[in-house]
């Protein structure tokens, strides 16, 4: 088993091989290439389970790092290619391969009969490969490569039905918005590596960067500038406001793609990267504050947007934005474990919800919940699994979402105890947003499953290949939460599994030293502790956070249950009996208007960014190039011509008379040559030049 | 092998000579064979040169010299360093591909066309290999003539204006350089590279001479604001001419800056570097913004060249081992990806006889192979990691960041704009509903066309995945040039000395 970790790269390479094989001869196979993808992911999944088991049972353990110095990049920079296998990597490997395998299996039925079926499978495999390149990277440059490749796959899959212009527009919007953030990421990586330059010849190495940051070898400006720029990449990739605008549009892609890429894996890449570099960003209160605030804004305002949507996939997309906001906010309040724990559980239940939505859409041929209704009886398996997913998303007690979301709220509470306002924001706004989440999911569930069937098709349950993955994901949507719950053992659990060894020791947050309330983190530097320990110490003297399994928080549990019941009750009142004449969500006056207009971000972006660049700036630049610069050149040309003409007429003809020199540059010479070209005399001309040159060359060679 | 460089130059010329003696009205087949064989032979010869080249040595190698004009001490002397060898390889690789790609479309006066390309190839190799200033100048200026003919005879309908504009622009730049070359000769008493390099020039002299050289090269690159000849030349040139222009001729400018302007005039270089960085950044953004607006796909790619070549100059004048090495790598990358794009445009033009983006739509359904290759090459041009563009552009930004942060940050937005214009163009041409009989009837790439693109596409992927050989070849030579400018290129790993690089 030990040796399995050394071969973790095989998990990454398998989908690359299957992608190539599917592209090469997938069409000739009985399943049109799907079998190759499923087989590769199946093996990869088994290996990932083994790796997860190995790292989990032996946690905490030293990371396994293997790399080779792949290529110099000039000036002493080295581009490494390698892998870093620790609990965080193992967790991501498990998540990505599980969801990807489920999507691979599910898509065989869902995508049946699509024109580009084989291409679809090749792209799924290619995406999985790219994502794994990112999660296994031992250095930031490799991570950037994976990061950009997943963006490319996302672009190609959003625009999968490219015959429709709107789909391609969505794909472009996604690619360009994330590309904007990618520039931030790339410059951020450059900033960090510039700070590392001189310390090492592998300045992209993640472990070395983390180590240098905790050792205080990186200057504050490097850390703040570098991490904020990298965070810009996370904002665009992980759908944080205001660069979230592409994610709802990305739902134009096939639903399995939405499940895999735009819910469970790619969009969490930003959070993953923040987790990887947590020791660096933990050096700066400013960076953590910005991250927390962006996360809080997103988790709240992103969730509200789901209230007015009719398209089931868009409801889920906005909920993804909101949940990603939780993860990002958690990072900003020191909730490293809470954040990636939520990433982990969210991956399962959101993939479940999307695949469930796919099953519904498959049955009624519409994305709109107003076209569904009464699906409970016709689609019992889809119904039950979807409800489990919704409960997990809403954070209903004892589901996975409950444990992970509460971890985040508690992380906020702890941070607040250290005297940071952002902690309070995460706690209270997080709670409020949980109510919003429950309400919009309850609204969707009532409209989809209760009441009368409003679709134009007789609904039918999906086949085994679609229901099977739903059931497995439903199990995981509950079970995954018990990796870190009051029921978990002290060791091993999710926290010991994914902790960052670099954070061993004290004083993770150096900026807290100067605060009036000192706030040190002991032990493994991971905040996932029981709130009760804190509650006792909050406010008086240094707050000491201990790690360990979470304890029960009756107060929080009570609030959560009250909010949950209230939200479900409201939703039942409005939607319990089917689609109301007037949806109350659309009767809220200015609030509805703001939400329907998506707060005006899309419109703003189009009116004040796209249009000015495309129609004004670009037009102006073109004109300046064609009119002013060319005009100036033409002016010079004319002046030269008249000067030459004058030379020719006065000096040449009258003074020198007959000399060839002057005429060589004159307009007459030009027109003469051009006439010859026109008249086809050129062959001789070219021939003469060729002959002349060759004679010259030979003559000089001989004259040696 | 002795005199391998002279042989590499002579082979295409011999081909051109053979064509000249080919009887009038002879079979086109014979012309094609001569052209391909001669240019392929030159490629093999340059591979022989590569085999004889010692990696890790940054100086001139494979030196050969013949007396040329003994009266003024001008020699026919050639030698290569890693940079020039790489560019020679690019030239000799592209030429046979260009010729093969042209045969389908060029039927008029084929002999002259092939001969022009062979002569052009020889002249460009000469530019890269010359170590005698006068010889360099002659080769440099001589490239104008065949290129002028290629645009002026086999070009589009506004070819005359474009050809004249091209000629005027580059000739004027060249004349300034001639004055500078002659001045250097009077000072050094020789045209030899090493003799000129050994000159101790005053700051004032350096300023003037640098300006003269830099202007000549800036026109060739072309740098903003002397770029306006390029879009016209590209649009009017036949496919082969565009590929050669973008793939090789533009590199003469950036090569010249690195080979001559930097080491000859180190003080002026350091003094003017910020200005050139500024101009490069403006060019990167300006070229990209203008590209957005173009309705003619060839013009769009032409303006993208202005943007991409801006990156090369940015890297060169960052005066940093990383950025400057990468800028040489990027010269090759730009040649490959833009060359491939122009080939694709040419293939599409042969089918449709239009280059208006609005005339196309939904083509991916009919031409999946062309669409796939187009997308791949576009991704290379917009520097997608894993493809060659990234291994050039990223280290340029990385290195530039160390010497001039503002320039690096501003330049990085060129990448967003590149994504914008390339994807937008791709989308408009290949995606969307397939409408109209013309689009319906467009046929996919033929085997021969795929064959021409294959070497470029393979290199685009291979360099992206494994750039080590390129950097190994280029870096020692770049370090040599930078040490002439006074830049320390040794890597200091003393943690105490550089604990706080931020300062």
């Amino acid at each position: 088993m030990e040796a399995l970790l050394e071969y973790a790269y095989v998990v990454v390479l398998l989908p690359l091989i299957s992608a190539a094989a599917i592209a090469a001869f997938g069409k000739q196979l009985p399943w049109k290439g799907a079998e190759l993808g499923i087989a590769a992911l199946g093996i990869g999944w088994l290996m990932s389970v083994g790796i997860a088991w190995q790292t989990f049972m032996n946690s905490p353990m030293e990371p396994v790092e293997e790399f080779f110095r792949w290529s110099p990049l000039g000036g002493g920079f080295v581009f490494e290619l390698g892998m870093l296998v620790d609990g965080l990597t193992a967790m991501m490997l498990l998540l990505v391969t599980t969801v990807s395998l489920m999507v691979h299996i599910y898509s065989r039925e869902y995508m049946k009969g699509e024109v580009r079926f084989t291409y679809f499978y090749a792209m799924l495999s290619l995406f999985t490969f790219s994502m794994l390149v990112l999660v296994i990277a031992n250095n930031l440059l490799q991570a950037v490569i994976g990061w950009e490749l997943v963006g490319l796959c996302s672009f190609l899959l959003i625009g999968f039905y490219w015959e429709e212009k709107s789909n391609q527009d969505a794909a472009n919007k996604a690619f360009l918005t994330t590309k904007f953030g990618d520039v931030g990421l790339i410059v951020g990586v450059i900033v960090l590596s510039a700070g590392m330059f001189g310390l090492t010849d592998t300045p992209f190495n993640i472990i070395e960067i983390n180590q240098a940051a905790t050792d205080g070898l990186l200057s504050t400006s490097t850390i703040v500038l570098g991490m904020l720029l990298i965070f810009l990449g996370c904002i665009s990739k992980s759908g944080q406001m205001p660069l979230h605008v592409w994610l709802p549009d990305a739902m134009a892609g096939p639903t399995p793609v939405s499940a895999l890429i735009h819910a469970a894996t790619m969009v969490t890449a930003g959070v993953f990267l923040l987790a990887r570099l947590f020791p660096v960003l933990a050096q700066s209160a400013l960076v953590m504050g910005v991250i927390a605030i962006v996360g809080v804004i997103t988790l709240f305002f992103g969730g509200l947007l789901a209230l007015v949507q009719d398209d089931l996939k868009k409801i889920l997309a906005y909920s993804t934005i909101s949940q990603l906001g939780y993860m990002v906010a958690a990072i900003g309040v020191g909730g490293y474990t809470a954040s990636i724990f939520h990433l982990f559980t969210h991956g399962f239940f959101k993939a479940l919800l999307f695949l469930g939505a796919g099953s519904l859409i498959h049955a009624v041929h519409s994305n709109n919940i107003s076209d569904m209704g009464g699906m409970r009886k016709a689609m019992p398996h889809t119904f039950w699994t979807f409800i489990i997913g919704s409960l997990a998303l809403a954070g209903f007690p004892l589901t996975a979402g409950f444990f992970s979301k509460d971890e985040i709220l508690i992380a906020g509470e702890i941070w607040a105890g250290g005297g940071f306002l952002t902690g309070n924001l995460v706690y209270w706004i997080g709670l409020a947003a949980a109510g919003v989440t429950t309400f919009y999911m309850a609204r969707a569930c009532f409209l989809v499953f209760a009441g009368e069937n409003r679709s134009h098709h007789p609904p039918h349950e999906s086949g085994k290949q679609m229901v099977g993955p739903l059931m497995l994901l439903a199990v995981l949507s509950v079970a995954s939460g018990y990796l870190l719950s009051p029921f978990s053992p002290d060791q091993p659990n999710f926290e010991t599994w994914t902790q960052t060894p670099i954070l061993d020791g004290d004083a993770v947050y150096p900026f807290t030293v100067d605060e009036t309330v000192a706030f040190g983190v002991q032990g493994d530097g991971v905040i996932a502790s029981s709130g009760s320990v804190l509650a006792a110490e909050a406010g008086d003297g240094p707050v000491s956070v201990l790690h360990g399994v979470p304890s029960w928080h009756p107060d929080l549990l009570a609030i959560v249950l009250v909010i949950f019941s209230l939200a479900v009750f409201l939703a039942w009142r409005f939607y319990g009996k089917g689609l109301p004449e007037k949806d109350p969500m659309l009767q809220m006056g200015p609030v509805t208007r703001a939400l329907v207009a998506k707060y005006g971000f899309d419109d703003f972006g189009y009116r004040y960014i796209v249009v000015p660049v495309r129609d004004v700036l670009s037009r102006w630049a073109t004109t300046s190039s064609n009119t002013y610069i060319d005009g100036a050149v033409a002016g010079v040309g004319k002046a030269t011509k008249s000067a030459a003409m004058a030379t020719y007429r006065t000096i040449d003809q009258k003074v020198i008379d007959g000399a060839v020199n002057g005429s060589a540059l004159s307009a007459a010479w030009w027109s003469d040559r051009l006439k010859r070209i026109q008249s086809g005399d050129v062959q001789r001309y070219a021939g003469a030049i060729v002959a002349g040159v060759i004679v010259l060359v030979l003559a000089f060679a001989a004259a040696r | 092998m002795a005199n391998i460089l002279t042989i590499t130059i002579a082979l295409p010329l011999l081909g051109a000579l053979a064509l000249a003696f080919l009887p009038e009205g002879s079979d086109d087949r014979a012309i094609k064979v001569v052209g391909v064989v001669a240019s392929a032979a030159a490629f093999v010869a340059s591979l022989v040169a590569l085999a004889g080249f010692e990696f890790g040595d940054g100086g001139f190698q494979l030196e050969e010299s013949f007396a040329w004009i003994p009266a003024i001490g001008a020699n026919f002397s050639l030698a290569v360093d890693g940079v020039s060898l790489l560019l020679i390889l690019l030239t000799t690789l592209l030429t046979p591909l260009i010729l093969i790609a042209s045969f389908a479309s060029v039927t008029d006066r084929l002999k002259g066309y092939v001969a022009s390309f062979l002569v052009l190839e020889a002249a460009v190799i000469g530019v890269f290999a010359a170590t005698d200033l006068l010889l360099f100048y002659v080769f440099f200026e001589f490239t104008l003539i065949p290129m002028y003919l290629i645009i002026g005879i086999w070009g589009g309908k506004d070819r005359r204006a474009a050809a004249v504009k091209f000629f005027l622009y580059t000739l004027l730049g060249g004349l300034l350089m001639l004055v500078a070359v002659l001045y250097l000769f009077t000072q050094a008493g020789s045209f030899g590279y090493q003799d000129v390099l050994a000159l101790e020039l005053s700051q004032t002299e350096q300023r003037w001479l640098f300006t003269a050289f830099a202007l000549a090269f800036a026109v060739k690159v072309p740098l903003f604001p002397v770029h306006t000849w390029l879009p016209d030349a590209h649009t009017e040139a036949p496919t082969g001419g565009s590929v050669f222009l973008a793939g090789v001729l533009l590199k003469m400018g950036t090569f010249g800056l690195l080979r001559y302007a930097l080491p000859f005039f180190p003080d002026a270089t350091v003094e003017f570097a910020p200005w050139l960085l500024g101009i490069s950044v403006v060019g990167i953004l300006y070229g990209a913004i203008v590209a957005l607006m173009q309705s003619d796909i060839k013009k769009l790619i032409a303006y993208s060249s202005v943007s991409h070549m801006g990156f090369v100059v940015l890297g060169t004048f960052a005066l940093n081992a990383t950025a400057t090495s990468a800028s040489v790598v990027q010269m090759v990358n730009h040649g490959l990806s833009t060359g491939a794009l122009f080939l694709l445009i040419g293939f599409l033009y042969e089918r449709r006889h239009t280059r208006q983006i609005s005339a196309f739509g939904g083509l991916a359904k009919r031409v999946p192979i062309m669409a796939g290759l187009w997308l791949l090459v576009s991704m290379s041009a917009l520097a997608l990691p894993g493809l060659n563009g990234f291994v050039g552009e990223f280290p340029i930004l990385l290195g530039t960041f160390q010497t001039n942060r503002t320039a690096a940050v501003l330049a990085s937005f060129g990448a967003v704009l590149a994504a914008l214009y390339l994807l937008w163009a791709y989308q408009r041409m290949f995606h969307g509903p397939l409408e109209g009989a013309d689009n319906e009837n467009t046929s996919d790439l033929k085997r021969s066309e795929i064959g021409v693109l294959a070497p470029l596409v393979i290199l685009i992927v291979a360099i992206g995945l494994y750039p080590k050989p390129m950097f190994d070849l280029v870096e020692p030579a770049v370090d040599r040039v930078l040490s002439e400018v006074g830049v320390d290129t040794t890597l200091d790993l003393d943690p105490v000395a550089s604990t706080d690089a931020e300062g």
Side-chain angles (χ1 to χ4, degrees):
Chain A
M1 281 300 266
E2 198 64 60
L4 195 56
L5 300 192
E6 313 277 324
Y7 289 100
Y9 62 88
V10 177
V11 180
V12 182
L13 292 179
L14 279 168
L16 176 65
I17 296 166
S18 66
I22 294 170
F25 49 83
K27 275 193 178 144
Q28 282 109 52
L29 295 172
W31 287 9
K32 298 198 188 308
E35 61 268 67
L36 292 172
I38 293 172
L41 259 297
I43 300 169
W45 178 74
L46 284 175
M47 287 186 72
S48 302
V49 170
I51 291 164
W53 181 262
Q54 178 71 16
T55 47
F56 187 81
M57 294 315 285
N58 294 323
S59 68
M61 62 178 284
E62 282 293 305
V64 175
E65 190 185 13
E66 306 244 329
F67 62 90
F68 39 111
R69 303 164 75 87
W70 182 242
S71 169
L73 283 181
F77 282 98
V78 173
F79 169 24
E80 294 170 279
L81 212 55
M83 62 174 196
L84 170 63
V85 183
D86 60 2
L88 181 58
T89 308
M91 181 276 282
M92 290 300 288
L93 287 179
L94 185 64
L95 174 67
V96 173
T97 53
T98 307
V99 177
S100 182
L101 179 62
M102 292 302 117
V103 166
H104 269 82
I105 294 172
Y106 177 97
S107 298
R108 244 200 97 216
E109 188 178 328
Y110 188 86
M111 299 299 287
K112 195 173 226 162
E114 290 288 346
V115 269
R116 290 182 283 274
F117 183 89
T118 306
Y119 166 77
F120 178 80
Y121 266 92
M123 290 312 303
L124 274 191
S125 284
L126 186 65
F127 167 78
T128 311
F129 161 72
S130 315
M131 188 69 204
L132 293 174
V133 166
L134 166 60
V135 302
I136 209 167
N138 77 321
N139 67 87
L140 289 177
L141 197 50
Q142 188 183 331
V144 166
I145 291 174
W147 179 282
E148 296 258 349
L149 285 179
V150 290
L152 173 67
C153 296
S154 159
F155 165 75
L156 292 171
L157 284 168
I158 295 170
F160 181 75
Y161 301 114
W162 47 251
E163 286 85 351
E164 291 268 344
K165 188 175 178 302
S166 62
N167 295 344
Q168 193 55 39
D169 285 344
N172 279 7
K173 187 170 174 182
F175 196 84
L176 293 170
T177 314
T178 50
K179 189 84 194 168
F180 177 77
D182 292 353
V183 169
L185 172 72
I186 287 177
V187 177
V189 168
I190 288 174
V191 172
L192 278 189
S193 62
M196 293 294 292
F197 202 57
L199 301 175
T200 167
D201 62 347
T202 51
F204 303 110
N205 188 292
I206 290 169
I207 290 184
E208 286 182 47
I209 290 177
N210 282 343
Q211 193 66 57
T214 47
D215 290 350
L217 294 175
L218 294 181
S219 70
T220 312
S221 60
T222 301
I223 289 174
V224 171
L225 188 64
M227 284 314 299
L228 285 181
L229 283 166
I230 289 175
F231 182 55
L232 182 63
C234 304
I235 288 178
S236 68
K237 202 71 150 192
S238 293
Q240 300 298 295
M241 284 188 167
L243 295 182
H244 66 286
V245 289
W246 65 272
L247 188 53
D249 289 22
M251 298 299 124
T255 307
V257 166
S258 311
L260 176 62
I261 301 184
H262 304 118
T265 59
M266 183 187 86
V267 290
T268 61
V271 179
F272 166 76
L273 201 60
L274 291 181
R276 263 277 171 256
L277 294 172
F278 188 74
V280 182
L281 64 90
Q283 304 299 312
S284 162
L286 176 64
V287 173
M288 292 191 72
V290 169
I291 291 174
I293 287 168
V294 168
V296 167
I297 290 174
T298 306
L299 76 87
F300 188 71
F301 290 100
L304 283 184
L305 287 169
L307 291 174
V308 296
Q309 302 300 322
D310 185 32
D311 183 326
L312 183 55
K313 285 181 75 180
K314 290 216 165 151
I315 295 176
L316 294 177
Y318 282 114
S319 93
T320 305
I321 290 172
S322 167
Q323 299 304 309
L324 290 164
Y326 275 102
M327 299 173 209
V328 167
I331 291 277
V333 295
Y336 166 84
T337 306
S339 175
I340 55 174
F341 188 39
H342 196 55
L343 191 167
F344 185 65
T345 60
H346 173 263
F348 296 125
F349 62 70
K350 191 49 72 62
L352 165 63
L353 286 170
F354 266 110
L355 293 184
S359 178
L360 291 163
I361 292 165
H362 204 56
V364 303
H365 302 275
S366 166
N367 282 8
N368 296 336
I369 50 178
S370 54
D371 293 337
M372 296 177 185
M375 295 292 147
R376 183 169 61 91
K377 288 203 191 76
M379 305 177 71
H381 302 302
T382 305
F383 167 64
W384 278 112
T385 50
F386 198 89
I387 293 296
I388 290 172
S390 303
L391 288 174
L393 175 58
F396 188 72
L398 303 184
T399 60
F402 165 74
F403 294 120
S404 58
K405 199 182 280 180
D406 280 11
E407 278 291 285
I408 292 176
L409 299 181
I410 290 163
E413 193 184 20
I414 294 170
W415 199 244
F420 293 97
L421 181 66
T422 50
N424 294 313
L425 289 175
V426 170
Y427 185 80
W428 291 110
I429 297 180
L431 265 177
V436 175
T437 310
T438 310
F439 179 81
Y440 64 68
M441 283 317 291
R443 169 177 178 261
C445 287
F446 282 124
L447 286 178
V448 170
F449 294 109
E452 294 296 307
N453 178 15
R454 294 181 296 275
S455 75
H456 309 295
H457 300 266
H460 57 87
E461 180 60 283
S462 302
K464 273 185 208 144
Q465 288 184 51
M466 282 168 69
V467 173
L470 293 181
M471 295 200 166
L472 189 101
L473 287 169
V475 171
L476 289 172
S477 298
V478 177
S480 60
Y482 292 87
L483 289 179
L484 190 64
S485 74
F487 305 109
S488 312
D490 270 343
Q491 193 170 355
N493 58 31
F494 190 88
E495 186 207 329
T496 58
W497 187 28
T498 55
Q499 65 179 245
T500 306
I502 292 151
L503 288 179
D504 272 341
D506 305 325
V508 180
Y509 307 109
F511 51 84
T512 56
V513 174
D514 300 331
E515 303 286 328
T516 41
V517 183
F519 186 63
V521 180
Q522 292 177 350
D524 299 292
V526 179
I527 296 177
S529 75
S530 60
S532 55
V533 177
L534 273 157
E537 294 181 336
D540 44 21
V543 179
S544 179
V545 179
L546 304 173
H547 68 99
V549 293
S551 54
W552 291 104
H553 307 279
D555 49 338
L556 186 56
L557 185 63
I559 302 175
V560 165
L561 274 175
V562 168
I563 292 177
F564 181 86
S565 315
L566 209 64
V568 173
F569 174 73
L570 269 179
W572 176 78
R573 270 290 304 278
F574 294 152
Y575 308 104
K577 297 177 190 69
L579 190 67
E581 286 278 302
K582 287 178 174 172
D583 190 333
M585 286 304 105
L586 302 175
Q587 311 296 320
M588 297 184 296
V591 178
T592 298
R593 277 201 295 281
L595 292 179
V596 169
K598 298 180 260 184
Y599 309 126
F601 279 124
D602 290 62
D603 194 39
F604 180 89
Y606 185 75
R607 276 193 20 210
Y608 297 101
I609 298 169
V610 177
V611 171
V613 169
R614 190 186 63 193
D615 297 351
V616 181
L617 188 59
S618 184
R619 223 176 277 274
W620 172 84
T622 308
T623 324
S624 72
S625 182
N626 290 345
T627 314
Y628 305 124
I629 300 178
D630 258 10
V633 173
V636 173
K638 265 193 197 129
T640 316
K641 198 169 144 188
S642 34
M645 209 57 184
T647 312
Y648 175 68
R649 289 219 180 101
T650 56
I651 302 171
D652 192 85
Q653 293 291 295
K654 290 176 187 161
V655 183
I656 306 173
D657 195 26
V660 207
N661 298 351
S663 70
L665 278 175
S666 75
W669 186 85
W670 277 111
S671 73
D672 186 38
R673 297 303 120 159
L674 286 169
K675 256 186 247 153
R676 286 206 207 177
I677 291 172
Q678 286 298 80
S679 63
D681 211 12
V682 150
Q683 249 165 322
R684 228 169 41 204
Y685 185 62
I689 292 171
V690 173
V693 170
I694 291 167
V695 168
L696 278 175
V697 170
L698 294 178
F700 298 139
R704 186 187 174 215
Chain B
M1 202 194 256
N3 299 337
I4 186 66
L5 296 176
T6 310
I7 292 171
T8 313
I9 296 178
L11 282 169
L13 286 181
L14 283 174
L17 196 64
L19 286 179
F21 287 115
L22 223 55
E24 199 68 33
S26 60
D27 194 3
D28 273 2
R29 230 184 121 80
I31 300 172
K32 291 177 185 175
V33 169
V34 170
V36 173
V37 167
S39 55
F43 180 57
V44 173
S46 59
L47 287 180
V48 172
L50 179 67
F53 188 83
E54 194 188 324
F55 280 58
D57 176 1
F60 287 114
Q61 299 183 37
L62 309 173
E63 287 180 270
E64 44 198 85
S65 185
F66 312 91
W68 178 29
I69 314 174
I72 53 171
N75 291 314
F76 186 87
S77 49
L78 306 174
V80 287
D81 60 7
V83 175
S84 38
L85 183 57
L86 190 62
L87 292 171
I88 288 172
L89 283 164
L90 177 68
T91 309
T92 55
L93 170 74
L94 281 177
T95 310
L97 296 178
I98 288 169
L99 287 177
I100 295 169
S102 303
F103 291 154
S105 57
V106 178
T107 46
D108 181 37
R109 287 175 281 194
L110 183 67
K111 194 154 80 170
Y113 182 84
V114 175
S116 301
F117 265 104
L118 291 175
V119 173
L120 182 58
E121 180 186 15
V124 171
I125 299 170
V127 167
F128 293 140
T131 49
D132 181 281
L133 214 47
L134 189 65
L135 186 67
F136 166 77
Y137 181 79
V138 168
F139 278 132
F140 188 83
E141 289 302 306
F142 186 79
T143 57
L144 277 180
I145 297 167
M147 195 63 216
Y148 171 77
L149 295 174
I150 288 168
I151 298 175
I153 298 170
W154 292 276
K157 68 177 192 302
D158 289 327
R159 58 182 185 269
R160 288 178 58 192
V164 172
K165 201 161 158 186
F166 164 74
F167 205 111
L168 271 180
Y169 247 119
T170 42
L171 189 73
L172 285 176
L175 285 175
L176 279 172
M177 189 168 74
L178 178 62
V179 176
V181 166
L182 292 176
Y183 182 83
L184 285 172
F185 171 68
T186 60
Q187 297 300 303
S190 149
F191 287 108
Y193 184 85
Q194 301 296 353
D195 298 332
V196 176
L197 192 62
L199 277 178
E200 296 282 342
L201 296 164
S202 75
Q203 182 76 9
T204 321
E205 284 174 313
Q206 287 200 22
R207 275 187 203 141
W208 282 104
L209 293 167
F210 177 90
T211 308
F213 270 81
L215 254 174
F217 295 136
V219 167
K220 265 280 177 340
V221 172
L223 270 181
F224 175 87
V226 286
H227 64 277
T228 59
W229 63 270
L230 184 72
D232 286 349
H234 266 315
T235 330
E236 298 308 327
T239 300
S242 290
V243 177
F244 202 90
L245 191 57
V248 178
L249 280 190
L250 305 187
K251 275 75 205 180
M252 297 189 340
T254 45
F255 168 81
L257 287 170
L258 188 65
R259 169 65 68 80
Y260 297 97
L262 263 67
F264 281 3
F265 321 113
D267 300 335
T269 298
V270 173
E271 188 183 342
F272 289 136
W275 291 95
L276 278 144
L277 291 180
I279 292 171
S280 307
V281 170
V282 171
I284 289 168
L285 299 176
Y286 181 90
I289 289 170
V290 177
L292 270 180
M293 262 302 291
Q294 301 309 312
S295 54
D296 178 324
I297 181 65
K298 217 171 175 186
K299 245 187 179 145
L300 189 150
I301 302 302
Y303 276 110
S304 86
S305 276
V306 175
S307 181
H308 286 132
M309 292 304 286
F311 267 105
V312 177
V313 179
L314 181 78
T316 306
F317 281 93
L319 303 180
N320 163 292
T322 310
T324 310
S325 302
S327 78
V328 179
V329 172
Q330 189 64 357
M331 287 186 211
V332 176
N333 291 337
H334 174 261
L336 294 172
S337 50
T338 309
L341 272 174
F342 277 125
L343 281 174
L344 282 164
I345 292 171
F347 295 150
L348 188 58
Y349 184 78
E350 281 164 32
R351 286 162 171 74
R352 300 290 303 279
H353 301 286
T354 177
R355 288 188 305 259
Q356 289 301 312
I357 295 172
S358 56
F360 308 109
L363 282 177
K365 203 156 207 141
R366 284 285 168 277
V367 292
I369 300 174
M370 182 191 266
L373 289 176
W374 193 298
L375 187 64
L376 181 91
V377 176
S378 296
M379 289 295 161
S380 147
L382 62 83
L384 185 86
L387 298 175
N388 62 344
F390 182 73
V391 297
E393 213 169 282
F394 180 78
I396 287 177
L397 292 175
L398 186 68
T400 306
F401 187 82
Q402 295 179 21
T403 50
N404 191 321
R405 292 182 178 197
T406 323
V409 172
L410 288 175
S412 58
F413 281 94
V416 185
L417 291 167
L420 194 57
Y421 61 73
L422 285 167
L423 286 182
W424 198 29
Y426 174 79
Q427 177 210 351
R428 284 181 289 170
M429 294 171 68
F430 290 97
H431 285 176
L434 183 68
E435 277 165 5
D438 287 343
N439 284 326
E440 279 283 352
N441 296 331
T442 309
S443 59
D444 208 347
L445 292 180
K446 294 192 287 267
R447 232 165 247 239
S448 59
E449 292 167 331
I450 296 171
V452 168
L453 284 166
L456 302 182
V457 170
I458 290 169
L459 281 172
I460 281 172
V461 176
I463 294 171
L465 292 179
Y466 194 56
K468 187 172 190 300
M470 301 260 280
F471 278 99
D472 283 347
L473 187 60
V474 162
E475 226 189 322
V478 168
D479 285 353
R480 185 201 80 224
V481 171
L482 287 181
S483 66
E484 296 286 349
V485 186
V487 175
D488 182 20
T489 53
T490 50
L491 180 63
D492 182 15
L493 265 184
D494 179 15
V496 183
S498 49
T499 298
D500 202 346
E502 298 298 311

